[in-house]
């Protein structure tokens, strides 16, 4: 079932998003060679507790951590680990924050030290593709318009778009309808309506878009060891331009 959120619900989600953004900004300062993603997971849990929030995905279908930390060829749902990040790695930190029942979801890919030119280009294209998708996320447009904008841009830049994982509706539960693919045809799919809250979270690969699952049954990685990047925002559909709840650039 697809729900349209009330003003009060959106305000609660914005409050959760504000905490999430603050946490991501702190993580950005922490990312450097030698730190471990387990340290980042521990920091996140303490940060959220300090701000009266909880990590929504911890315990979700048995997932054991406060964040997902996906390194290099891991597409999504990477487990935090004790191995140190190395110079040249890229790492995606994904989290969902619950503050008094309001939810916010955002992932960001970070460069660890000195990343090569192709890795930086992958990150740049992935981030740009997110915003190209967001541009299409307004009442009256269709879900296919979002995916088409992302796919046309990313593939035009020589990268591939992951098909196996999508964006989704969010609030009051973590994953709700509709699914938001990051590929597709314009003017196809469900029509977007004012008050819907969705995530757009393109996962873009250097090589093949195909994925394979690790033995933990959570972590997805590329089949050819190509690197993968992901950027994600939670957004509100309006009759005008969308509201980015998890915007890191607003004052």
């Amino acid at each position: 079932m697809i729900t349209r959120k009330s003003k009060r619900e959106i305000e609660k989600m914005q409050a959760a998003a504000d905490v999430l953004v603050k946490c991501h900004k702190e993580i950005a300062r922490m990312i450097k060679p030698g730190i471990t993603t387990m340290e980042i997971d521990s920091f996140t849990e303490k940060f959220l507790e300090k701000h009266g929030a909880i990590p929504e995905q911890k315990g979700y279908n048995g997932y054991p951590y406060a964040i997902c930390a996906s390194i290099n060829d891991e597409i999504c749902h990477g487990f935090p680990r004790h191995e140190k990040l190395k110079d040249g790695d890229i790492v995606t930190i994904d989290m969902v924050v619950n503050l008094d029942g309001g939810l916010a979801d955002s992932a960001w890919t970070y460069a660890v030290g000195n990343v090569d030119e192709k890795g930086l280009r992958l990150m740049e294209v992935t981030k740009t593709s997110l915003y190209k998708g967001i541009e299409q996320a307004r009442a009256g447009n269709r879900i296919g318009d979002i995916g088409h904008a992302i796919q046309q841009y990313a593939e035009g830049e020589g990268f591939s778009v992951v098909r196996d994982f999508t964006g989704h509706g969010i609030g009051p539960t973590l994953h709700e309808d509709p699914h938001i693919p990051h590929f597709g045809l314009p003017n196809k799919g469900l029509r977007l309506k004012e008050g819907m809250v969705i995530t757009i979270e393109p996962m873009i690969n250097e090589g093949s878009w195909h994925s394979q699952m690790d033995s933990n049954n959570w972590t997805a990685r590329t089949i050819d060891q190509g690197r993968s990047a992901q950027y994600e925002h939670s957004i509100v559909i309006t009759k005008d331009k969308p509201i980015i709840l998890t915007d890191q650039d607003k004052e």
Side-chain angles (χ1 to χ4, degrees):
M1 183 178 72
I2 297 170
T3 62
R4 296 162 72 180
K5 307 303 186 288
S6 68
K7 180 181 177 183
R8 179 176 174 275
E9 287 174 311
I10 291 170
E11 287 172 349
K12 291 185 72 171
M13 296 178 83
Q14 182 64 77
D18 292 345
V19 173
L20 187 154
V21 166
K22 288 177 184 176
C23 191
H24 260 301
K25 287 184 174 181
E26 290 298 320
I27 289 169
R29 297 184 183 99
M30 297 171 66
I31 298 283
K32 60 185 178 181
I35 196 169
T36 73
T37 49
M38 194 66 80
E39 289 175 292
I40 296 170
D41 181 75
S42 177
F43 166 81
T44 299
E45 188 139 22
K46 292 173 184 174
F47 184 94
L48 297 185
E49 182 179 8
K50 178 182 176 182
H51 288 81
I54 59 174
E56 181 69 10
Q57 75 262 43
K58 187 173 184 179
Y60 178 80
N61 290 339
Y63 186 79
Y65 301 105
I67 63 169
C68 298
S70 305
I71 303 169
N72 294 332
D73 67 329
E74 294 173 340
I75 296 170
C76 60
H77 306 150
F79 281 15
R81 66 200 74 170
H82 293 287
E83 290 82 4
K84 295 178 180 179
L85 291 173
K86 302 187 298 296
D87 187 64
D89 285 341
I90 63 172
V91 56
T92 299
I93 306 297
D94 187 7
M95 71 178 80
V96 186
V97 171
N98 182 331
L99 180 65
D100 299 326
L103 300 185
D105 187 358
S106 182
W108 218 249
T109 298
Y110 297 98
V112 182
N114 300 294
V115 173
D116 64 69
E117 187 175 335
K118 189 174 181 184
L120 293 174
R121 181 66 180 151
L122 169 67
M123 293 170 62
E124 178 186 351
V125 167
T126 306
K127 187 175 181 180
T128 300
S129 74
L130 166 63
Y131 287 101
K132 287 189 175 294
I134 290 173
E135 286 173 4
Q136 300 300 318
R138 59 184 69 212
N141 280 4
R142 295 183 182 272
I143 287 174
D145 297 324
I146 298 172
H148 181 71
I150 292 169
Q151 183 180 16
Q152 285 289 102
Y153 173 71
E155 291 182 353
E157 296 295 327
F159 297 98
S160 66
V161 180
V162 172
R163 309 294 205 269
D164 298 328
F165 303 92
T166 70
H168 51 87
I170 184 170
T173 54
L174 175 51
H175 288 131
E176 299 186 353
D177 290 333
H179 294 291
I180 311 292
H182 305 111
F183 60 97
L185 297 173
N187 202 33
K188 297 289 185 182
L190 183 81
R191 195 174 296 280
L192 299 167
K193 295 182 179 180
E194 191 172 359
M196 293 170 61
V197 182
I198 62 172
T199 71
I200 301 176
E201 48 186 291
M203 288 147 268
I204 307 298
N205 296 348
E206 285 182 320
S208 170
W209 63 261
H210 292 277
S211 66
Q212 57 187 341
M213 192 66 66
D214 278 4
S215 58
N216 63 23
N217 290 320
W218 277 100
T219 305
R221 66 177 69 238
T222 63
I223 62 168
D224 55 9
Q225 288 76 56
R227 289 171 294 186
S228 185
Q230 179 189 15
Y231 292 85
E232 173 189 16
H233 278 313
S234 298
I235 67 168
V236 182
I237 304 299
T238 76
K239 62 178 182 292
D240 300 311
K241 66 179 183 179
I243 298 169
I244 303 175
L245 297 173
T246 48
D247 185 5
Q248 294 192 22
D249 296 323
K250 66 183 178 182
E251 293 299 325

